[in-house]
Amino acid sequence: MRVLIVGAGLAGLRTAEALRDRGFDGELVLLGEEVHLPYDRPPLSKHVLRGDRPPVYLRAEGDYADLRLDLRLGTTVTGLDMADRTVTTAAGPVAFDELVVATGATPRRLPGAPGQVLRTLDDCLGLAPLLVPGAVIGVVGAGLIGCEVAASARAKDVEVHLVDVLPKPLVRVLGDQVGQRIADLHEGRGVHLHLGTGVAAATRTRLELSDGTVLDVDVVLEAMGVTPATGWLEGSGLELADGVVCDQVGQAAEGVWAVGDVARWADGLGGSFRREHWTSATEQAATVAAAILGERQPVTTPPYWWSDQYDVKLQGLGEAHSDDDVLMLEVGPKSRPLALYSRDGRLTAVVGFSAGAFVFKLKDLIVARAPVADAVALLKG
Ligand SMILES: Cc1cc2nc3c(=O)[nH]c(=O)nc-3n(C[C@H](O)[C@H](O)[C@H](O)COP(=O)(O)OP(=O)(O)OC[C@H]3O[C@@H](n4cnc5c(N)ncnc54)[C@H](O)[C@@H]3O)c2cc1C
């Protein structure tokens, strides 16, 4: 049997590793557009961007032989023929018995794409040298990547303008109160916030905002989120709806699976989700590898993400929605902010500011959708 994985990022490589760990003895082919060995993306907006540490590779070069992997880097897949069971590359069709789609996501762009984006190692290596003391950066989009780049740039004494059409950073996901804390964090470090205003026009070095402000900058970073990389699957017959539509174990069609940022999985409750978190990509890879080998076991752990901004590690567990009720607490001897999210009085998620131990304490209560009062009692106990 041949398993073909398209996309040599986190989810793709971890699927290959999980298949071998589970004793898969067939042929494994991994096709990736980038020329680099699979690497870790989170450091690209943190240590690597600041120049503090080199890129982090997901597997040491010397360990690839153990995987018995036909790894073809610099290979872009342009189509899928479900009837033929092949994908299309410039070097010709590549056949599969089982296909795993792991092509991640692509940054949204401003009209004309005047600025830079940060998704790949090459993007990071292009941006990092521009972050020199005294330089001015205009970051469009106060999501996780925009906020992290703002923090990394401030660490390099770069002047930062952070622009978002929404009134608070991350407000769409984390709501008003946590959004305000994040805004305060950045303002306290000297970031110029331009919130509730869009970009009316942009060039490589100028942003004209819809409130009339004009910002002359040395570099523009477009950090307005991503769209799943499904262009190569158009017309293939797979269902695409902001991601490859899959069941609860990542199956999109007979012998076709999807993992990571590109995948939209059923949640078992009539809904679906697409997650753009490191831990979800890893968990989905393990789930799909097991399912390919006949063991269909949906992920039951709540989603986890983290974000490093200045000396704060933001950590979220569970599925927060901006219209959830939010109870802000201060926890531990250092009074660290922690937000409890709930619906109908039942705990849905938690977000902590450098309060990891408290966040993880609530895992079972989130899974059980326990009353918020139980969470408060546990945190105080
Ligand atoms: C700068 C940055 C910082 C992040 N920080 C955090 C963090 O702090 N915490 C957190 O939880 N998450 C973070 N994330 C998110 C996390 O890294 C992603 O969720 C994770 O990388 C998703 O893995 P993936 O394999 O699905 O996609 P990717 O890692 O994007 O891998 C997909 C691969 O597929 C390749 N590909 C795409 N199309 C094709 C094609 N047609 N043919 C062949 N190959 C193709 C791409 O080139 C890419 O190498 C961050 C992401 C970025 C970009």
Side-chain angles (χ1 to χ4, degrees):
M1 177 164 85
R2 174 191 268 194
V3 178
L4 171 63
I5 303 169
V6 179
L10 176 68
L13 179 67
R14 291 291 184 255
T15 304
E17 291 173 337
L19 281 164
R20 288 293 186 228
D21 286 350
R22 288 181 161 266
F24 174 66
D25 204 29
E27 215 184 325
L28 255 185
V29 183
L30 178 57
L31 307 181
E33 183 165 55
E34 294 181 73
V35 294
H36 306 286
L37 280 174
Y39 58 85
D40 216 11
R41 285 179 209 279
L44 301 183
S45 46
K46 309 174 183 78
H47 325 289
V48 181
L49 187 62
R50 293 196 297 268
D52 299 344
R53 279 190 229 158
V56 178
Y57 289 90
L58 292 170
R59 192 176 179 92
E61 200 169 350
D63 293 345
Y64 275 88
D66 299 350
L67 264 187
R68 290 174 290 127
L69 182 64
D70 178 356
L71 175 61
R72 304 183 203 169
L73 297 172
T75 302
T76 303
V77 175
T78 52
L80 162 64
D81 187 328
M82 297 260 277
D84 255 17
R85 314 296 285 170
T86 56
V87 299
T88 315
T89 72
V94 182
F96 62 84
D97 298 303
E98 302 282 336
L99 171 69
V100 180
V101 175
T103 42
T106 317
R108 287 200 193 94
R109 303 302 309 254
L110 289 169
Q116 318 227 359
V117 292
L118 180 55
R119 179 75 194 178
T120 66
L121 177 55
D122 289 341
D123 294 336
C124 177
L125 297 178
L127 181 62
L130 306 177
L131 301 185
V132 292
V136 184
I137 185 170
V139 178
V140 183
L144 287 175
I145 305 282
C147 286
E148 289 194 347
V149 170
S152 291
R154 289 303 296 142
K156 306 284 292 179
D157 277 331
V158 171
E159 191 175 337
V160 179
H161 292 275
L162 184 57
V163 180
D164 202 302
V165 73
L166 296 172
K168 307 268 162 65
L170 288 155
V171 68
R172 196 174 278 151
V173 192
L174 301 181
D176 201 58
Q177 296 189 58
V178 170
Q180 186 59 53
R181 298 262 176 165
I182 297 171
D184 293 346
L185 182 64
H186 286 275
E187 209 154 33
R189 305 299 174 116
V191 171
H192 309 291
L193 295 176
H194 306 270
L195 299 172
T197 180
V199 173
T203 67
R204 208 169 51 80
T205 54
R206 171 171 281 215
L207 289 172
E208 292 177 27
L209 307 187
S210 39
D211 68 0
T213 307
V214 175
L215 302 171
D216 287 309
V217 298
D218 297 300
V219 52
V220 169
L221 180 77
E222 300 177 30
M224 297 112 43
V226 294
T227 51
T230 53
W232 64 284
L233 296 168
E234 297 287 345
S236 66
L238 287 184
E239 188 184 350
L240 306 176
D242 183 38
V244 180
V245 175
C246 298
D247 69 9
Q248 268 185 282
V249 291
Q251 185 160 19
E254 187 62 37
V256 182
W257 313 79
V259 284
D261 286 10
V262 75
R264 172 166 293 285
W265 282 26
D267 63 7
L269 302 165
S272 67
F273 59 83
R274 190 176 68 75
R275 297 199 175 119
E276 297 167 8
H277 309 317
W278 193 97
T279 309
S280 299
T282 316
E283 289 168 349
Q284 291 184 349
T287 302
V288 159
I292 289 174
L293 300 178
E295 203 182 306
R296 299 174 64 89
Q297 200 59 257
V299 176
T300 52
T301 47
Y304 168 73
W305 58 269
W306 80 94
S307 174
D308 298 330
Q309 298 174 31
Y310 311 100
D311 51 353
V312 173
K313 185 177 274 297
L314 276 168
Q315 289 165 296
L317 193 64
E319 200 91 61
H321 294 275
S322 57
D323 58 349
D324 284 352
D325 293 322
V326 179
L327 178 64
M328 283 303 303
L329 303 171
E330 294 194 336
V331 293
K334 294 188 173 158
S335 301
R336 297 270 162 79
L338 182 133
L340 296 178
Y341 292 77
S342 62
R343 229 164 297 151
D344 304 323
R346 302 268 165 182
L347 191 65
T348 54
V350 56
V351 171
F353 288 62
S354 299
F358 296 92
V359 167
F360 290 116
K361 239 182 175 180
L362 298 175
K363 186 173 164 190
D364 291 345
L365 295 188
I366 292 171
V367 173
R369 290 266 167 139
V372 185
D374 291 4
V376 174
L378 183 71
L379 291 169
K380 286 190 174 150

